[in-house]
Amino acid sequence: MIVERWINWVTLLAFMVVPLWALVTDEPFTITLATRAAILALAAVGLNIALGIGGLVSLGHAAFFGLGGYAMGILAFHAQNYTPLELGPFTTEGTKSMPVIWLTAIIAAALAGLIIGLLSLRTAGVYFIMITLAFGQMFFYFAISWSAYGGEDGLSIYVRNGFPGLNTLVPIQFFGICFVALCLSLYVHWRLRSSPFGLALNAARQVPQRVETVGLNPYRLKLVAFVISAAITGLAGALFADLNRFVSPAMFSWQLSGELIVLIIIGGVGRLMGPVIGAAIFVALEHWLGGLTDFWHIWLGVILLLIVLFGRGGVVGLLTGKAGPHV
Amino acid sequence: MSDPILATRGLSKSFGALKATDDVSIDLLPGEIHAIIGPNGAGKSTLIEQISGGLRPDAGSVHLMGQDVTHQNTQARAKAGLGRTFQISALAMEDTVLENALLGAIGQSARPWRFWSGVAGDRTLVERAFNALERVGLSDAADERTANLSHGQRRQLEIAVALTLSPKAFVMDEPMAGLGAEGSKFLTGFLDTLRDEAPILLVEHDMDAVFALADRITVLVYGKVIASGTTDDIRRSAEVREAYLGEDA
Amino acid sequence: MSTILIIEQVLNGLQFGVMLFLMAAGLTLIFGVMGLINLAHGSFYMVGAFAAAATAGATGSFLLALVAALAAAALAGALVEMVVIRRLYKAAHLDQVLATFALILIFSEGTRWVFGSFPLFLEIPAWLSGPVALPGGILYPVYRLTLIVIGVLVALGLWWLTARTRIGVQIRAGENDREMIAALGVDISKLYTLVFALGAALAGLAGALVGAIQSVQVGMGEPVLILAFVVIVIGGIGSIKGAFVGALLVGLTDTLGGIFLP
Ligand SMILES: Nc1ncnc2c1ncn2[C@@H]1O[C@H](COP(=O)(O)OP(=O)(O)OP(=O)(O)O)[C@@H](O)[C@H]1O
Ligand SMILES: [Mg+2]
């Protein structure tokens, strides 16, 4: 069986080589697909911290993804229309600068994560699943009714936002940005996982009563994990909006929350590269099956069922022959 | 007489009509091993749960070094110096043995909020964890996955985790359960020395161990204390004979 | 705001509430008895609505449409239980979420495949259309009133089933101790299939009934499903009575909140 470390490096390498190859052979669409995969992977890496290490089955992570998306949409919308952005008593301007947008997205998602986490982490098991789902839907319906920002139709941004020193309109450069963000998030996951916090969080998933008897608070550990997780998924949302130059309530949809979990399952829960491999496979399937049939989701459903019923551990589990963490 | 490290006063807890503990008052003095014995279902684990904070008593109070901790949660009591072990091992089965001990060390350091430093590179934590494993004879298995441990080794690890906390008082729920003769003997010897570090409230079915170790014994039957005293007192007690052997007094 | 309008809205809220109850009852039974979180419950709602619309289109009979909805949803439920769900009872919640999420994908896209992406319409039959005069001179649609009555009847029926019949006793026993009732010779897997199909049928009925007020389309079940989850969280998992109270509460809040809040 293959050692996980090898799988990790090969995955990252492949993730770089494919778009570069597409650049050489002049297939910009492949680069766009790779970018999409990188962004979805980023969102799922965020979720994987809560789900894979902390065991928190959140069915509401689209809330954070959507918040990131709307952070981008709203800031860029005001910037492109030269209208002031009124926040209660304050008035500021929109912006087309990616770093500012990212920071906003991260903060907004982290705050939402804090509030949702404070309330929903009081519960566990199915209650937690249902409550996170309900919170996600609240954001969805709010976005639909928020007519100032497009309501049901969403917002279109005409030109992709900028990053100092780069031309983000060139696909490979934008891919580079997303890929670096993905690598950073993986680094965060890796450091977290091997830190005292990660060890305690991982134990809180397995034996919360033990964590309490050594004087630690499982609720707080999980809350912090949830906030970090939300922040990363929020950043992914901002990048996703920039990729499509469009945000809509669909970014808040519960299907998206479900798909993020699906990505992780395909790759391997709690595995560092699980979300990355899962996202790559998901986007490839979407492209390939989607080209064959309009109803590719049926086949996604069937594949997913087979994985759940017969192949826990996902691709990484299959390749390493080791069961992953039990969530 | 010195002040008790740990004390309960009139602890009562009912599950529906069942009185699991009924007006239980016990003391744990410095340097002693105080054994709690009683038949299955007597309420021993329920008592331990109330002492360690997992169950709120219906009435009564728990005191740790003179402080009333009845309204504190499990974490606060652990921080205040309570080191408990579980009757049914509660260990992170997916993690290594060392990682389980490290969890205790992290709890003892009270600083789980370090996100960026590798735990394996933290000398203080690793030394504390490893030291505890060494003392229970598990250091060779440090890198083993806990799920792969034998039952006996898991019991040892339970105690090691409590050791990492350097508690002021140990509360142990049947640490010998399921150990072979060899294991019991080792553990008896170990607990005998441990009492000098911190007193032990010991729930145990293994009577050889109890009578070898205990300074005092309290007998619990149907949630009630029916006898309490030195080993000799208990050996001679008519009520205890009756409760255990069904002999007429 | 006039009292008449308020009473009308309260009735609307009740009507929405009892339909939510039909969804929530199945969910909470399935959770209480089998410990399963079923995201695909909304699919049975959709299946019922489509079966009703197709049947009504072919035969013109609303009653036949309702029967078809019940049958199709129950059948789908039984099938799903035997092929997939049964393997999930002891599984982790995450597995249940994923597998039932997969079922939604299959059901939704499958339905789109068969019926296309355009919504279907289910007509309220002539004998149930038009308003009825309530005491106090309020005119209220007969159909909606009928839904309230049906919902209440189903609630009573379910209460009777769980509290007064042998199956109900077995169901409640199964909640507490599967091994025990299996040891007593009750065929537990048949019981589970039955409960699951019953839950699915209720969802299908709700879908068909609501389908005549709204349009019948793919994805119609999920918003209702999510509200039904809220109902269950309020009412407590496994409790039929809780589901009923919770459903009315959510139905009324949702409807009245829409008027009184900006
Ligand atoms: N959470 C609970 N709910 C209801 N009854 C309980 C609960 N916990 C314990 N009991 C009951 O309380 C009584 C005391 O149980 P407890 O576990 O404290 O006994 P014990 O003395 O530790 O027994 P053993 O020697 O078997 O470990 C038993 O009859 C048990 O069934
Ligand atoms: Mg016990």
Side-chain angles (χ1 to χ4, degrees), chain A residues 22 36 48 53 68 71 116 143 169 218-219 260 266 269 321-322:
Chain A
R36 182 176 159 79
N48 198 29
I53 310 180
I116 296 179
L169 299 179
Y219 172 76
L260 289 182
I266 295 178
V269 187
K322 283 194 195 127

Side-chain angles (χ1 to χ4, degrees), chain B residues 10-24 41-43 46-47 50 55-60 222-224:
Chain B
L11 275 190
S12 300
K13 178 83 198 172
S14 300
F15 298 113
L18 176 83
K19 284 188 172 170
T21 62
D22 188 359
D23 195 18
V24 176
T46 307
L47 176 64
Q50 291 173 86
L55 271 180
R56 282 280 133 86
D58 298 336
Y222 292 126
K224 263 188 159 24

Side-chain angles (χ1 to χ4, degrees), chain B residues 15 18 20 39-46 87 174 205:
Chain B
F15 298 113
L18 176 83
N40 290 112
K44 305 181 295 292
S45 295
T46 307
Q87 179 174 2
E174 302 198 26
H205 274 302

Side-chain angles (χ1 to χ4, degrees), chain C residues 183-253:
Chain C
L184 291 175
V186 176
D187 184 345
I188 200 133
S189 70
K190 222 186 254 164
L191 180 71
Y192 281 9
T193 310
L194 201 74
V195 171
F196 201 85
L198 175 70
L202 291 178
L205 177 66
L209 292 173
V210 174
I213 320 182
Q214 297 164 0
S215 62
V216 174
Q217 56 187 339
V218 172
M220 66 190 286
E222 278 69 39
V224 189
L225 172 84
I226 290 162
L227 276 181
F229 278 147
V230 176
V231 167
I232 295 183
V233 170
I234 294 174
I237 287 175
S239 160
I240 295 277
K241 216 189 284 172
F244 190 71
V245 175
L248 293 190
L249 217 71
V250 171
L252 285 170
T253 313

Side-chain angles (χ1 to χ4, degrees), chain C residues 14-36:
Chain C
L14 286 179
Q15 177 259 306
F16 184 38
V18 293
M19 290 301 111
L20 271 180
F21 168 72
L22 292 188
M23 279 292 277
L27 268 181
T28 205
L29 259 186
I30 290 167
F31 189 84
V33 177
M34 309 154 187
L36 179 98

Side-chain angles (χ1 to χ4, degrees), chain C residues 16 33 52 77 103 142 149 200 246 256:
Chain C
F16 184 38
V33 177
L103 286 174
V142 184
V149 173
L256 297 178

Side-chain angles (χ1 to χ4, degrees), chain B:
Chain B
M1 202 173 80
S2 47
D3 294 329
I5 303 283
L6 176 71
T8 73
R9 289 294 169 261
L11 275 190
S12 300
K13 178 83 198 172
S14 300
F15 298 113
L18 176 83
K19 284 188 172 170
T21 62
D22 188 359
D23 195 18
V24 176
S25 300
I26 51 170
D27 284 338
L28 183 64
L29 301 175
E32 79 167 341
I33 292 182
H34 186 158
I36 311 277
I37 62 172
N40 290 112
K44 305 181 295 292
S45 295
T46 307
L47 176 64
I48 296 232
E49 256 340 298
Q50 291 173 86
I51 290 174
S52 57
L55 271 180
R56 282 280 133 86
D58 298 336
S61 56
V62 180
H63 305 263
L64 195 56
M65 291 179 299
Q67 295 286 321
D68 186 340
V69 296
T70 317
H71 299 288
Q72 293 186 2
N73 61 16
T74 307
Q75 295 126 249
R77 296 185 201 194
K79 279 188 194 145
L82 203 64
R84 69 88 57 108
T85 69
F86 291 85
Q87 179 174 2
I88 299 167
S89 300
L91 300 164
M93 290 297 169
E94 292 169 10
D95 294 356
T96 65
V97 169
L98 182 62
E99 281 166 336
N100 271 285
L102 277 168
L103 178 67
I106 292 168
Q108 192 273 338
S109 77
R111 283 180 298 150
W113 309 116
R114 277 173 300 167
F115 305 95
W116 216 243
S117 59
V119 70
D122 189 320
R123 290 252 321 261
T124 334
L125 292 180
V126 173
E127 259 168 34
R128 177 170 278 276
F130 208 80
N131 186 21
L133 292 180
E134 211 151 41
R135 292 183 64 191
V136 299
L138 264 185
S139 49
D140 288 343
D143 293 325
E144 196 75 46
R145 212 174 125 97
T146 305
N148 298 339
L149 293 188
S150 69
H151 173 78
Q153 288 174 310
R154 289 182 197 175
R155 304 306 297 160
Q156 285 165 284
L157 183 51
E158 270 285 326
I159 293 178
V161 179
L163 286 177
T164 59
L165 301 177
S166 304
K168 303 282 196 314
F170 288 97
V171 177
M172 300 190 180
D173 199 349
E174 302 198 26
M176 317 264 179
L179 291 188
E182 189 83 359
S184 302
K185 210 174 125 208
F186 169 81
L187 197 54
T188 307
F190 178 69
L191 295 185
D192 203 10
T193 61
L194 190 60
R195 80 177 92 195
D196 298 329
E197 239 166 82
I200 307 171
L201 190 71
L202 179 69
V203 168
E204 191 47 69
H205 274 302
D206 181 337
M207 287 305 145
D208 290 341
V210 166
F211 282 93
L213 285 171
D215 300 293
R216 284 193 296 155
I217 299 177
T218 294
V219 186
L220 216 55
V221 176
Y222 292 126
K224 263 188 159 24
V225 173
I226 61 157
S228 188
T230 64
T231 47
D232 286 336
D233 294 342
I234 297 301
R235 238 191 277 268
R236 285 192 295 262
S237 156
E239 286 99 335
V240 176
R241 283 179 166 274
E242 190 190 331
Y244 261 87
L245 306 171
E247 286 175 10
D248 287 326

